[in-house]
Amino acid sequence: MDGLVPHQSPAPDRAASGDQPRWESAPTPTPDRWEDVQEHQQQLRHGVERERGCEGDDGLCDRLAVVGETQCAEHLGWPLCPGHDGSSCARRTRDGGQCATCQGQEHYARMADALPEPESDNGRCPGYNAPCGRGITIVGLCPRCRIASQHDRDRIEKEWREAAAAAVAAAEAEEAAQGVPVPF
């Protein structure tokens, strides 16, 4: 008992107790029965098939139904997204507003419009939102125009984050009002 940690008891003598080692007494593992495998696969398929098909056109519509509805967006009469450049895209939205893809494209179009023009050929600052003409000390713009462009970029990105957060909050509130379960 010299090498024992306090409160540790000596190991039991297996030979004296008649116990066999665990690996000798365990049964040989066997694969699952074919019926069990088929049942498991069927359950997985049913889990995937929880998404309902549209019941429009007497059930012949090949689209999925909107979550919480029995029909697809077209059969529910939702308007097309107006698009980011005035031409409608193929997606439908509940409120007739822009879809997420068009909102992103519009954001990037605004960012491209707000970014400074490329450096002029004469080594002078082309300016930001107005002609400048100062000497370029930083590649592309003078320090004054560079700071102005960064402030505008930060403002536009902040507006985008706020709009995205408001859209998520509105969608969550709508789902909560409809009783749609949260996926996770």
Side-chain angles (χ1 to χ4, degrees):
M1 293 199 97
D2 297 353
L4 295 177
V5 176
H7 304 334
Q8 182 179 12
S9 61
D13 186 15
R14 291 190 184 272
S17 65
D19 290 339
Q20 294 179 348
R22 186 178 46 177
W23 58 87
E24 290 179 3
S25 63
T28 304
T30 57
D32 293 334
R33 295 180 320 136
W34 179 250
E35 292 82 19
D36 294 340
V37 172
Q38 289 298 322
E39 182 180 348
H40 179 68
Q41 293 295 327
Q42 187 70 17
Q43 289 173 349
L44 289 175
R45 279 192 293 276
H46 284 302
V48 171
E49 293 171 358
R50 280 191 182 153
E51 297 174 352
R52 302 172 70 179
C54 176
E55 294 178 2
D57 296 333
D58 296 326
L60 298 177
C61 182
D62 60 347
R63 295 184 193 95
L64 290 176
V66 175
V67 175
E69 302 285 345
T70 59
Q71 295 181 335
C72 65
E74 183 177 353
H75 284 104
L76 289 171
W78 290 4
L80 289 172
C81 166
H84 76 281
D85 57 356
S87 62
S88 64
C89 73
R91 293 180 186 88
R92 295 183 178 271
T93 59
R94 186 180 307 258
D95 60 356
Q98 287 182 329
C99 65
T101 302
C102 290
Q103 286 176 357
Q105 289 175 350
E106 183 178 12
H107 167 70
Y108 288 120
R110 281 194 326 236
M111 290 291 288
D113 290 341
L115 291 175
E117 295 181 16
E119 178 179 333
S120 65
D121 292 336
N122 64 1
R124 295 305 212 182
C125 177
Y128 180 74
N129 292 335
C132 176
R134 290 184 182 89
I136 298 176
T137 57
I138 301 175
V139 177
L141 296 172
C142 70
R144 183 178 188 181
C145 292
R146 166 106 29 211
I147 290 171
S149 70
Q150 289 173 346
H151 283 299
D152 279 351
R153 182 199 63 206
D154 293 343
R155 179 187 51 80
I156 291 169
E157 286 181 352
K158 180 182 176 189
E159 289 173 2
W160 174 252
R161 284 191 301 271
E162 289 171 352
V168 168
E172 288 174 347
E174 184 176 331
E175 289 175 356
Q178 292 179 356
V180 176
V182 178
F184 298 103

